[in-house]
Amino acid sequence: QNISHSSAPKENYQYKDLSKIDFDSVQSAIISFYQESHVYLDEEFTLDQLSGQLKINKADLSITFNKHLHSNFHEYTNRSRIQHFKQILSEDPSASVTDLAFQCGFKSKSTFYKYFKKEFDCLPSQLVH
């Protein structure tokens, strides 16, 4: 499991004139959406839905995630879910970690734990105590 995270994202956007994308406004729209909406907590939430909500095409969103948010749609969504999880857990430390993980949109415990460990470098139980 030696996955390098330092490799640059593939530059496969030649078909698109990047100068026509207002990255600042797309990035602001993405950040605001995740702060103000909880739609991303639906486990079935997709890039198509985000595109529809923001009225920004999927390619522009993907490029913005990769080039400006240094992530991709799934990673960004799951990191946001982890932050939401942490907030809920702090309000109710006795809540079931598994129940909260599913409430936050994770389809599996393994995905939840993977992103949790990546974000906080500990287990959820260690965060509570």
Side-chain angles (χ1 to χ4, degrees):
Q1 263 205 343
N2 190 5
I3 301 168
S4 171
H5 293 291
S6 60
S7 62
K10 290 192 200 99
E11 298 294 331
N12 56 356
Y13 309 121
Q14 286 88 6
Y15 67 94
K16 199 154 178 61
D17 181 354
L18 298 184
S19 67
K20 290 188 167 46
I21 303 172
D22 180 354
F23 286 113
D24 289 340
S25 69
V26 174
Q27 183 175 338
S28 292
I30 291 169
I31 292 169
S32 294
F33 175 83
Y34 281 89
Q35 287 172 342
E36 295 163 15
S37 167
H38 287 141
V39 175
Y40 68 90
L41 297 176
D42 178 344
E43 70 177 38
E44 301 299 327
F45 184 62
T46 63
L47 184 60
D48 277 329
Q49 288 174 291
L50 182 62
S51 173
Q53 293 268 342
L54 298 179
K55 296 176 179 39
I56 297 170
N57 82 47
K58 288 190 330 188
D60 292 2
L61 286 172
S62 288
I63 295 166
T64 304
F65 274 117
N66 287 314
K67 288 184 160 296
H68 296 271
L69 294 168
H70 310 292
S71 186
N72 64 41
F73 167 75
H74 292 289
E75 283 183 1
Y76 193 90
T77 299
N78 284 327
R79 278 205 319 266
S80 298
R81 288 171 173 164
I82 288 293
Q83 292 298 333
H84 188 76
F85 169 89
K86 182 183 174 202
Q87 180 190 338
I88 296 174
L89 189 63
S90 70
E91 293 163 9
D92 182 6
S94 65
S96 156
V97 167
T98 306
D99 289 350
L100 288 184
F102 290 120
Q103 278 178 41
C104 291
F106 288 95
K107 291 182 185 180
S108 74
K109 286 200 300 191
S110 61
T111 304
F112 166 74
Y113 278 104
K114 178 180 120 182
Y115 278 95
F116 192 93
K117 185 119 176 77
K118 204 178 205 178
E119 193 70 13
F120 296 114
D121 201 28
C122 69
L123 295 172
S125 56
Q126 293 170 298
L127 190 69
V128 177
H129 304 300

